[in-house]
Amino acid sequence: MITLLDQPLYRSAPAPTGGTATVSVLLADGHHLFRSGLGALLDREADLAVVAEAPTAEEAAAEAARTRPTVAVLDPDLPGPGGPATAALIRDRAPATAVLLLIAVPRSDDLQRAVADGVAGVLLKDVPPAALIAAVRELARGGRVYDPRLVMDVVRTTEAPLTPRELTVLGHVADGATINEVAAALSLSPGTVRNYVSAAIAKTRGRNRCDAIRIARERGWL
């Protein structure tokens, strides 16, 4: 089951009764203070038990092989291969372990890459503690959990936000044409071409025209 992490999920993932830890967790994060705080949070839950911690990707993979945790909670920017690459290492050494990525700074392709690489859960690090605990339980039951903010970013970037004319202008610029050359080719004024380029930069959220071209190519718009 795929779940968007929102208020209903908090209610749908209660702790099992009985008081016995049933979900073992591996924590992998390069920041000791964050890792310790997260461990203390999870260990307070009767059904959850942190069985190992690791500050690097290689150590995370080694601990996964040693402890075979139910869920591995990873920082995608771990020292080493990081993110989905670390998830692949863990999958190789502990195939039954579900991986949950905690992302500090979201990038446009985080969720798509994670899903393609078999990551079962992706959350932003600023989620409420109850949401994180619910996500760990959901993954332990075989479900998948994705932060709705990342899902909305995927939805927004599925279709090109640029108009056909903006894409045409950006395509000419990407091919190395100058503003004046683009203007001549499309029978536009240089000022109009600059306006189209500026609009493309704004809509792609690029830093400049080169960044806008890169983003458009990565997303298949050019």
Side-chain angles (χ1 to χ4, degrees):
M1 180 178 70
I2 296 178
T3 306
L4 299 186
L5 190 66
D6 52 16
Q7 188 61 31
L9 176 60
Y10 302 171
R11 295 193 296 270
S12 69
T17 58
T20 301
T22 57
V23 179
S24 56
V25 182
L26 162 66
L27 299 179
D29 191 287
H31 296 90
H32 177 73
L33 186 61
F34 178 84
R35 197 172 67 243
S36 297
L38 184 56
L41 171 72
L42 296 178
D43 275 335
R44 286 204 298 266
E45 301 299 312
D47 59 313
L48 309 181
V50 176
V51 295
E53 297 184 14
T56 69
E58 280 296 337
E59 290 178 71
E63 287 297 327
R66 182 181 69 84
T67 61
R68 306 283 173 165
T70 312
V71 178
V73 181
L74 309 179
D75 179 344
D77 295 319
L78 279 171
T86 305
L89 283 176
I90 289 176
R91 189 165 57 249
D92 287 343
R93 302 185 191 183
T97 298
V99 174
L100 172 63
L101 292 185
L102 286 184
I103 296 174
V105 180
R107 293 171 287 266
S108 61
D109 61 346
D110 278 328
L111 182 57
Q112 291 163 307
R113 287 182 56 214
V115 171
D117 288 327
V119 174
V122 186
L123 303 180
L124 297 180
K125 275 189 172 181
D126 64 353
V127 295
L132 176 61
I133 292 168
V136 170
R137 289 176 178 144
E138 186 69 21
L139 265 65
R141 285 196 291 268
R144 298 187 175 207
V145 179
Y146 302 126
D147 195 302
R149 291 167 292 180
L150 295 172
V151 173
M152 289 307 299
D153 189 58
V154 171
V155 171
R156 283 194 298 268
T157 58
T158 298
E159 297 183 1
L162 282 67
T163 66
R165 178 63 87 178
E166 289 162 353
L167 284 170
T168 298
V169 169
L170 194 62
H172 279 284
V173 174
D175 290 336
T178 66
I179 294 295
N180 288 337
E181 289 170 342
V182 176
L186 300 178
S187 300
L188 300 171
S189 71
T192 299
V193 172
R194 290 190 186 92
N195 288 339
Y196 281 129
V197 171
S198 295
I201 293 171
K203 289 181 179 180
T204 59
R205 301 180 185 178
R207 296 184 297 274
N208 49 47
R209 68 180 65 177
C210 292
D211 202 30
I213 291 167
R214 176 189 61 78
I215 292 168
R217 282 176 169 166
E218 286 180 351
R219 297 181 183 178
W221 302 336
L222 283 181

